[in-house]
Amino acid sequence: MRNPSKKSSSYFKSVKTRKKISQTIITFLLLLGSVIILFPVWWMFATSLKSMTEIMQYPPTFIPKEWHFENYLDTWKAAPFTGYLLNTLFITVCVVFGNVVANSFIAYGFAKIRFKGRNFLFAAVLATMMIPGFVTMIPHYVMYSKLGWLNTYLPLIVPSFFGSAFFIFLLRQFFLTIPNELIEAAKIDGANHFYIWLKIMVPLAKPAIATVAIFSFNGAWNDFLGPILYITDESFYTLQIGLQVFKGQLETQWNYLMAGSLLVLLPVVILFFIFQRYFIEGMNLTAGSKG
């Protein structure tokens, strides 16, 4: 007759073995996926440190034979990138501020204020997400032209103060997790809706608001179509348009273009790593009730 203790111990050993194998496979797949995702970034970095002669040679080299760190300084001096940086920062800060303020206030209204037709209006707002941006591009251009906003930053900044369907939806879902008892208590103390939104809802929704800010920063910082569509004066150019100086009709300076692209990419990466905890919490729609 078999010993039950030996049978159970062998069972647990097999379970542990299968668990270790599955964890090893998952780790390998994650490492492989990370390598695949990060390879283009490494290729950009390696190309930014090569000479044009080495870039054009075949077969290509994955590690530069000579490291030309001066490419980054030459890239910044090739065009007025300091002015482009300041222009991009101004647009980005205004867009982030507009998206955070407008969308959080609109989302508070849809989440916590009861009024007739609220669900219908919210459905209409969500329906705008199904309209491609290219469909409204020409009407927007005509409208901004008639307003005299062309060759200014107004077409890039003003729309952020009128709300975005995705950001409204994200913040509304987060606000719904915040207990209504807090709002009722504030109303008893004489607080109005503006005070409740500013002093109660916004502090409790910091993760969701940080998520909106990160998305807004990324969208405004990397926007190429908007500036090239509405801006013609070179002194108003952004970084994304400035990178095109390295793309000529006959030849592209790939080392300078990759160096400039990495410099433009760096603030987005830094911002994400600083606020990644808030970003993850912001995507968790139950975090508001924990606050």
Side-chain angles (χ1 to χ4, degrees), residues 1-290:
M1 186 175 182
R2 293 183 178 180
N3 192 342
S5 61
K6 291 183 178 181
K7 185 177 180 180
S8 60
S9 62
S10 61
Y11 172 77
F12 285 118
K13 286 181 180 179
S14 62
V15 171
K16 289 182 179 179
T17 303
R18 288 197 298 269
K19 188 176 181 180
K20 287 182 179 179
I21 293 174
S22 62
Q23 288 179 345
T24 303
I25 294 174
I26 292 173
T27 303
F28 173 77
L29 292 176
L30 289 175
L31 289 174
L32 180 62
S34 300
V35 170
I36 294 174
I37 293 173
L38 292 176
F39 178 76
V41 179
W42 167 256
W43 186 257
M44 288 174 61
F45 177 71
T47 304
S48 68
L49 297 174
K50 295 178 182 178
S51 64
M52 282 298 296
T53 303
E54 185 177 355
I55 292 174
M56 294 302 174
Q57 74 179 22
Y58 186 84
T61 56
F62 294 96
I63 299 177
K65 296 178 181 177
E66 296 182 0
W67 299 70
H68 295 274
F69 288 99
E70 68 275 7
N71 287 348
Y72 286 88
L73 185 59
D74 294 340
T75 298
W76 202 257
K77 291 181 178 180
F81 274 96
T82 302
Y84 299 161
L85 174 62
L86 295 176
N87 296 339
T88 307
L89 279 175
F90 175 75
I91 296 173
T92 302
V93 170
C94 292
V95 169
V96 171
F97 177 78
N99 276 323
V100 168
V101 173
N103 290 291
S104 62
F105 195 68
I106 296 171
Y108 166 72
F110 280 126
K112 297 301 182 181
I113 301 177
R114 295 186 177 276
F115 56 90
K116 190 175 181 180
R118 181 181 66 170
N119 294 332
F120 174 78
L121 287 177
F122 183 66
V125 170
L126 293 183
T128 61
M129 297 176 63
M130 296 185 290
I131 302 176
F134 293 102
V135 174
T136 59
M137 184 184 302
I138 295 178
H140 281 168
Y141 186 88
V142 173
M143 179 179 65
Y144 296 142
S145 177
K146 291 184 179 297
L147 291 173
W149 288 6
L150 296 184
N151 202 32
T152 68
Y153 294 143
L154 292 176
L156 306 176
I157 296 175
V158 172
S160 64
F161 287 86
F162 287 86
S164 166
F166 173 73
F167 292 151
I168 292 172
F169 170 78
L170 178 65
L171 290 168
R172 175 186 177 272
Q173 298 305 111
F174 196 95
F175 285 158
L176 288 175
T177 64
I178 298 176
N180 292 328
E181 288 77 7
L182 296 175
I183 299 175
E184 297 300 329
K187 288 181 178 179
I188 293 174
D189 292 336
N192 55 28
H193 285 298
F194 181 80
Y195 183 90
I196 294 172
W197 163 73
L198 184 62
K199 297 296 184 179
I200 298 177
M201 304 300 288
V202 170
L204 290 177
K206 282 182 180 179
I209 290 176
T211 303
V212 171
I214 292 173
F215 277 129
S216 301
F217 182 92
N218 186 49
W221 186 268
N222 294 318
D223 187 18
F224 173 75
L225 183 61
I228 204 171
L229 186 63
Y230 300 118
I231 296 175
T232 56
D233 191 345
E234 187 176 356
S235 62
F236 292 163
Y237 279 2
T238 61
L239 287 171
Q240 299 298 332
I241 301 179
L243 290 175
Q244 304 306 306
V245 72
F246 303 117
K247 297 178 66 176
Q249 293 182 349
L250 301 178
E251 184 182 15
T252 299
Q253 296 173 294
W254 292 107
N255 48 356
Y256 293 160
L257 181 60
M258 294 298 105
S261 299
L262 279 175
L263 291 174
V264 172
L265 177 65
L266 192 60
V268 179
V269 176
I270 293 175
L271 182 74
F272 176 78
F273 277 109
I274 293 176
F275 295 101
Q276 63 176 329
R277 179 172 67 88
Y278 295 103
F279 178 79
I280 295 172
E281 290 181 7
M283 300 305 293
N284 179 14
L285 297 181
T286 63
S289 58
K290 298 177 183 178

